Amino acid sequence: NDADGHKAGDAYLRNIADELKKTLRQGDTIYRTGGDEFTILAKIDKYNAVKLAEKLLHSLPKFFVYQDQQVSFGMSIGISFYEPVYKDATTLLKQADKALYHAKNNKKGNYVIFDENLNKD
């Protein structure tokens, strides 16, 4: 939005959403939760969540074309899992957001799985 305006930003977000949808499995659900952040709900174990995160990071294009200009983008992923002690969606989203924060700050273009150690800072 800052560099190319809101129309370019909207096109960018639609493009990313379309690419994410192509990568997800039937039954997975994607939501835009604000700004340039998306939430994916998937019934998946940790092993397959890592495989999906790696697939998303490596298979999505690194740019798209908008009005004859190449626009690049990157991705970081925060992951949290439902466990009986975390019964509400708000907690799961907060955990995923904390993991995402660490993913962005450690090295963009990677993923972090939430664990309680992330609550120590």
Side-chain angles (χ1 to χ4, degrees), residues 56-88:
L56 289 169
L57 289 169
H58 299 293
S59 68
L60 293 179
K62 304 298 181 223
F63 69 90
F64 75 102
V65 176
Y66 177 76
Q67 293 185 344
D68 297 327
Q69 291 187 335
Q70 185 172 302
V71 179
S72 63
F73 62 91
M75 182 186 321
S76 297
I77 299 172
I79 301 170
S80 68
F81 292 95
Y82 173 82
E83 295 178 22
V85 292
Y86 308 119
K87 295 186 181 205
D88 63 279

Side-chain angles (χ1 to χ4, degrees), residues 99-119:
L100 175 62
Y101 173 81
H102 282 273
K104 286 180 177 180
N105 286 330
N106 290 332
K107 177 186 154 198
K108 289 188 178 185
N110 71 344
Y111 65 90
V112 170
I113 297 173
F114 178 83
D115 70 42
E116 289 300 327
N117 292 323
L118 297 180
N119 279 330

Side-chain angles (χ1 to χ4, degrees), residues 14 16-25 30 56 60:
R14 280 192 305 276
I16 289 175
D18 290 343
E19 292 297 327
L20 288 171
K21 287 178 198 174
K22 290 178 195 174
T23 306
L24 297 178
R25 304 163 307 153
I30 182 170
L56 289 169
L60 293 179

Side-chain angles (χ1 to χ4, degrees), residues 32-59:
R32 179 174 170 214
T33 51
D36 61 352
E37 294 184 359
F38 293 87
T39 297
I40 297 170
L41 299 176
K43 197 170 191 177
I44 196 168
D45 61 21
K46 288 184 181 183
Y47 172 79
N48 286 304
V50 167
K51 285 177 60 174
L52 177 59
E54 290 174 350
K55 181 179 179 182
L56 289 169
L57 289 169
H58 299 293
S59 68

